[in-house]
Amino acid sequence: MQLNGKVAVVTGAGRGLGQAYAKALAAAGAAVVVNDLDVELAEETVRAIQDAGGSAVAEGSAIGSTEAADALVAKAVEEFGRLDVMVTNAGVLRDRTLLKMADEDFDLVVETHLRGTFTCGRAAGKQFKEQGGNGRLILIGSPAGQRASFGQTGYTASKAGIVGLVRTWAAELERSGTTVNAVIPVALTRMVATIPGMAELVEMADRGEQLPADVRASGLGTPDDVAGLVVFLASDEAAGVTGQAISAGGDRIAIWSHPTEVAVEVREGGWSADALAEAFPTTFAPRLQPFKPDTVPGQPEGK
């Protein structure tokens, strides 16, 4: 897979998944703007890319504001002359259950994940249009946005919203040849280590040890296992792939379905509460949808 001549921005790329995406894009030939709130971490990623023969520069904006997004795109254009790929990976966690969630914690998570995706996507989309289209928006989602994730009110709301943006933006930008997709990563990172039973696996991954085959087959692996999907979606070979939410982890790739009606009934005159009470147990109750995640080793998400 070759990305020679392409320019990419990866937000939150100082460590973990973002760093893996930036390194993989650079290894495929793209020039990369490495963003992180901690600019020293961004510079470490840049040095690693350069030491491997790649091209990259660091950028230290806090993702969320329009000004930060515009600065990121401007950095790409100033340093490399254009922008072809925007990977919106930056995020924070402030885990609290609903009744314990403070306004400021909720707002920070939504500001970084959801608003940051919006501002970066808009800034990149404008640059793509100026260049004639054919850009790549790769928005990073999470299993937490697809299924229940206990104690992550702000995070799940943001990640579910990001997949909603994918569908709308894919429709809006289709004519210009720009694709928009969500990557749903599942990986062993430092944040997963806090989940009961995951610390040992995270330590194995950090030491570079081979993970058990059943763990990898279940969809749980390292950040590098997700990076190949990002590179593919950034490439010309993925020109026909848009509007999708694609999960990657370990040895597993999966395409998530979009919401669809699963039970429909029409009643002349409409549905009163009494009519619903009569019909619900037999007509609708059997089609109620599961909302909790499957209890498999690959379920804990990697952001």
Side-chain angles (χ1 to χ4, degrees):
M1 189 67 64
Q2 293 297 311
L3 301 178
N4 295 332
K6 295 188 183 295
V7 178
V9 168
V10 183
T11 67
R15 57 160 64 96
L17 285 160
Q19 183 183 70
Y21 304 153
K23 287 181 175 180
L25 289 164
V32 183
V33 177
V34 177
N35 161 268
D36 202 277
L37 176 61
D38 187 334
V39 72
E40 292 185 0
L41 289 176
E43 289 169 347
E44 289 178 12
T45 300
V46 168
R47 283 193 292 271
I49 289 172
Q50 292 173 340
D51 289 346
S55 180
V57 295
E59 203 278 342
S61 296
I63 298 303
S65 70
T66 294
E67 292 76 16
D70 290 345
L72 262 178
V73 172
K75 183 78 168 180
V77 174
E78 290 166 6
E79 294 286 341
F80 303 116
R82 59 184 295 110
L83 177 67
D84 301 283
V85 182
M86 171 65 77
V87 183
T88 59
N89 173 75
V92 296
L93 289 179
R94 293 294 185 272
D95 290 352
R96 298 287 189 279
T97 55
L98 173 62
L99 302 186
K100 296 179 180 178
M101 175 67 68
D103 289 359
E104 55 268 25
D105 289 338
F106 180 85
D107 291 345
L108 176 63
V109 173
V110 173
E111 170 78 9
T112 306
H113 285 281
L114 186 56
R115 192 172 194 277
T117 296
F118 158 65
T119 56
C120 287
R122 181 179 59 184
K126 289 179 178 179
Q127 182 62 31
F128 296 157
K129 181 179 180 180
E130 187 175 318
Q131 295 170 183
N134 298 313
R136 299 286 184 269
L137 287 176
I138 302 172
L139 314 185
I140 306 302
S142 167
Q146 309 295 102
R147 288 282 194 266
S149 187
F150 192 92
Q152 291 195 310
T153 290
Y155 187 62
T156 57
S158 298
K159 291 302 188 180
I162 285 169
V163 176
L165 294 180
V166 164
R167 300 178 190 123
T168 293
W169 291 356
E172 292 180 351
L173 301 176
E174 186 176 22
R175 288 183 61 186
S176 72
T178 290
T179 66
V180 190
N181 293 285
V183 169
I184 313 296
V186 186
L188 290 163
T189 66
R190 60 193 178 91
M191 290 184 181
V192 175
T194 62
I195 299 173
M198 291 291 108
E200 183 178 351
L201 290 174
V202 173
E203 290 174 3
M204 288 181 63
D206 286 345
R207 292 193 298 266
E209 297 178 11
Q210 182 68 27
L211 295 170
D214 63 331
V215 171
R216 289 189 56 82
S218 75
L220 186 58
T222 69
D224 290 339
D225 293 318
V226 185
L229 174 59
V230 172
V231 172
F232 168 70
L233 291 174
S235 73
D236 293 340
E237 283 80 358
V241 182
T242 193
Q244 303 304 306
I246 307 175
S247 175
D251 297 334
R252 191 170 182 269
I253 291 285
I255 296 178
W256 283 87
S257 67
H258 295 323
T260 185
E261 295 175 333
V262 296
V264 179
E265 293 290 332
V266 177
R267 182 177 185 273
E268 186 175 353
W271 289 89
S272 67
D274 288 340
L276 278 169
E278 180 180 353
F280 216 91
T282 56
T283 303
F284 297 109
R287 303 304 301 275
L288 294 180
Q289 301 297 291
F291 61 92
K292 294 180 182 179
D294 297 331
T295 54
V296 297
Q299 183 59 41
E301 57 84 29
K303 282 286 294 151

